[in-house]
Amino acid sequence: MTGPTLLLAYGSWAAGPVVAYAALSHGLMRNAIGFTILFGLYTSSVLAIWGGLKLQTAGGGGATVLAPSAVLAPWGAVALVSAVLYALGAWIGGGDG
């Protein structure tokens, strides 16, 4: 079964490294507000995908390929890595602000 929810889940996995890299670059510039907005958008999309997977599982409309936790676990890893990379960027970078 390949549906839009499954493709969006794969997209959220692909976006994880991009968000983590953005954490480093925003940390170097010490731009916490910009990264907070970006991470908020990433979080809302992951939660929407999680909700879609949850509805597919609860609806019983066939076998689901992914468990709903398959998008939350990578989100947690991205959150942790992003926090570390932002702190590292803020520590080594000066920034203009």
Side-chain angles (χ1 to χ4, degrees):
M1 173 181 110
T2 40
T5 309
L6 180 63
L7 295 176
L8 288 172
Y10 291 153
S12 73
W13 295 343
V18 175
V19 171
Y21 177 76
L24 178 62
S25 63
H26 280 84
L28 287 169
M29 296 183 295
R30 293 188 180 158
N31 185 4
I33 294 173
F35 180 70
T36 303
I37 292 170
L38 176 69
F39 191 75
L41 291 171
Y42 174 68
T43 298
S44 7
S45 68
V46 166
L47 289 177
I49 295 165
W50 174 79
L53 289 171
K54 208 58 174 156
L55 286 174
Q56 283 181 353
T57 303
T64 56
V65 177
L66 290 175
S69 61
V71 292
L72 290 184
W75 173 85
V78 168
L80 180 66
V81 169
S82 294
V84 169
L85 287 177
Y86 184 87
L88 178 68
W91 181 60
I92 63 174
D96 292 338

